[in-house]
Amino acid sequence: MKPEIIALNGYYTLIAATIVLLIGRLLVQRIKFFQNFNIPEPVAGGLLAAFILSIVYSTTGHSFAIEKPLQDAFMLIFFASIGLSADFSRLKQGGMPLVIFLVIVSVFIVIQNLVGVGMASAMGQNPLFGLITGSITLTGGHGTGAAYGKILTERYGIANATDIAMIAATYGLVSGGLIGGPVARRLVNKMGRKPVEQTVEVDSKGSYDNQTFESAGHQRLITATSAIETMAMFAACLAFSSIMIKTFPDFKLPQFVWALGFGVVLRNVLTTVFKFDMFDRAIDVFGNASLSLFLAMALMSMKLWQLADMAGPMLAILAVQTVVMIFYAYWVTARFMGNDYDAAVLAAGHCGFGLGATPTAVANMQSITNTFGSSHKAFLIVPLVGAFFIDLVNMAILDRMMAWFGTAL
């Protein structure tokens, strides 16, 4: 039988993603290893799906392609939910810890790039290859990797830069989800903190419950009216982000930043100017569901046979980057953020977006807080820094480093 790519339309992509999530939940519930290391459910189910699909590919030559726009839509909805939850009156709570955390992760971006460039040069590779296996894909993710991959190919002649970036970003997404839980778990165990007893709570209708993204299993009352209002706001954020990307194609901000930013503006205009009663519980539920579906789709579409074919230098750099992230999160992030429980959750989040993406960071933190209790501080700081500020810092650092090393070639 002739090998072919089997394309899954939107319906089958959604069905496959939900099955992956249900299997992931079952794996985490039944396998002690996943519980002990706080592996997020989308990561557990997604990796299993990726292995199964790799076996199918190796035996039959058939591969599967999911509905990419659907995956992107769930990613945008998640980031829009962060923006729609960003009440300016609550953002002030971040204060100095938010600034300190931003400085910590900014320093790590520089270290990440220096490690990549240094190892690439030592192995006789183009120094810019080190940036692809540095913050372009690890801190930046797939979107930044795609954008800079095109630039590196067109301006600096690095062949297949975009393909390399996609593989590196996928590696980072998986490794970021795998190491965040264990790093935080070790920090928490050293503190002697015990798991909290999980109770099912149901919110009554009323004011903001201060639980956004922290407790994915926390039950929240949602009416049909609030669901429709929330979907309308998400639609506005996605539409605005699409218009801005098409209107300003040369502007380097990824689309999810536009969605997040417009969510912040929309939220505060509606609540401040029009005194709109924002239903945060609906935003929370839609955001958490979109987060899980996005991660499931991203991981089940991963082509492990491409990872197996990666060049030795790339594997070596990515492996070292993972070790550097572990040590930095454990010894620097946690220490400078206070060396307490909140700092441990922040370290898990840093592992998530320092190697993968903000959704991975949130999933890492949820896996910890679901066991050891909530961390309002971490869930206020990480989404803001990981999904908004750090992209601006990363782009500024990358542009400077590309100018330095590009000129040196």
Side-chain angles (χ1 to χ4, degrees):
M1 184 178 294
K2 184 179 180 181
E4 63 176 333
I5 298 177
I6 302 173
L8 302 180
N9 61 25
Y11 297 117
Y12 291 112
T13 296
L14 186 58
I15 292 171
T18 54
I19 292 175
V20 166
L21 289 175
L22 292 174
I23 293 175
R25 179 186 300 175
L26 183 64
L27 290 174
V28 172
Q29 290 175 345
R30 298 292 180 85
I31 300 178
K32 197 69 175 177
F33 172 83
F34 291 146
Q35 297 175 12
N36 291 340
F37 288 90
N38 298 106
I39 304 303
E41 293 174 1
V43 173
L47 283 177
L48 177 62
F51 277 115
I52 293 174
L53 293 177
S54 295
I55 294 173
V56 172
Y57 176 80
S58 63
T59 55
T60 68
H62 294 333
S63 61
F64 294 82
I66 68 169
E67 185 78 11
K68 190 65 167 59
L70 183 63
Q71 178 185 332
D72 294 340
F74 281 118
M75 178 189 70
L76 293 174
I77 291 173
F78 167 69
F79 283 112
S81 70
I82 295 175
L84 290 170
S85 301
D87 192 317
F88 283 151
S89 63
R90 296 200 302 270
L91 293 182
K92 297 177 183 177
Q93 301 172 14
M96 188 53 65
L98 188 148
V99 176
I100 295 173
F101 188 68
L102 179 60
V103 172
I104 290 172
V105 298
S106 298
V107 171
F108 179 72
I109 288 176
V110 176
I111 294 174
Q112 198 171 57
N113 285 328
L114 291 177
V115 169
V117 170
M119 289 192 65
S121 300
M123 291 184 286
Q125 301 293 319
N126 188 322
L128 294 177
F129 178 81
L131 294 181
I132 302 177
T133 51
S135 73
I136 285 180
T137 57
L138 300 182
T139 295
H142 288 81
T144 305
Y148 279 95
K150 182 178 180 181
I151 294 173
L152 289 170
T153 298
E154 294 178 352
R155 294 184 186 176
Y156 301 100
I158 299 180
N160 302 317
T162 300
D163 294 336
I164 296 172
M166 292 301 97
I167 296 173
T170 302
Y171 170 91
L173 191 68
V174 175
S175 59
L178 290 174
I179 70 172
V183 167
R185 182 80 179 222
R186 181 172 177 82
L187 288 166
V188 173
N189 287 340
K190 288 185 65 177
M191 300 171 195
R193 188 180 178 104
K194 303 298 182 182
V196 297
E197 183 178 352
Q198 299 297 321
T199 58
V200 177
E201 300 178 15
V202 181
D203 290 331
S204 59
K205 188 174 181 180
S207 60
Y208 176 69
D209 60 11
N210 204 29
Q211 292 281 343
T212 304
F213 304 118
E214 291 189 55
S215 303
H218 189 66
Q219 292 187 15
R220 295 161 171 82
L221 297 177
I222 299 177
T223 64
T225 300
S226 65
I228 292 173
E229 291 173 348
T230 302
M231 286 190 286
M233 289 186 289
F234 282 130
C237 292
L238 269 61
F240 178 83
S241 67
S242 178
I243 292 172
M244 296 306 291
I245 286 294
K246 293 178 180 177
T247 305
F248 303 101
D250 296 329
F251 207 59
K252 292 183 179 180
L253 279 181
Q255 186 173 353
F256 68 81
V257 177
W258 289 115
L260 186 151
F262 186 73
V264 174
V265 174
L266 183 61
R267 162 60 186 241
N268 289 279
V269 168
L270 288 176
T271 55
T272 304
V273 178
F274 297 97
K275 307 302 179 184
F276 180 75
D277 185 14
M278 190 71 67
F279 210 95
D280 290 285
R281 298 177 185 87
I283 296 171
D284 187 8
V285 170
F286 278 102
N288 276 301
S290 298
L291 164 66
S292 296
L293 288 167
F294 162 71
L295 287 176
M297 292 179 186
L299 290 169
M300 73 181 186
S301 62
M302 183 175 60
K303 296 176 174 57
L304 292 179
W305 58 90
Q306 291 183 358
L307 290 174
D309 294 336
M310 288 195 320
M314 188 176 186
L315 281 172
I317 295 174
L318 292 175
V320 172
Q321 293 283 26
T322 305
V323 175
V324 171
M325 179 75 261
I326 292 172
F327 278 92
Y328 191 90
Y330 188 88
W331 293 106
V332 179
T333 305
R335 265 55 180 179
F336 280 87
M337 290 308 300
N339 206 25
D340 54 10
Y341 175 65
D342 289 324
V345 180
L346 284 166
H350 191 190
C351 288
F353 72 78
L355 287 181
T358 303
T360 308
V362 174
N364 283 350
M365 295 191 300
Q366 286 177 344
S367 70
I368 298 299
T369 56
N370 286 343
T371 302
F372 295 100
S374 63
S375 174
H376 302 326
K377 179 179 178 181
F379 277 87
L380 174 68
I381 292 175
V382 167
L384 283 172
V385 173
F388 188 71
F389 294 113
I390 202 60
D391 278 298
L392 302 177
V393 174
N394 190 27
M395 289 175 187
I397 294 174
L398 283 172
D399 287 345
R400 178 54 55 188
M401 285 193 162
M402 285 174 63
W404 287 342
F405 297 112
T407 304
L409 293 177

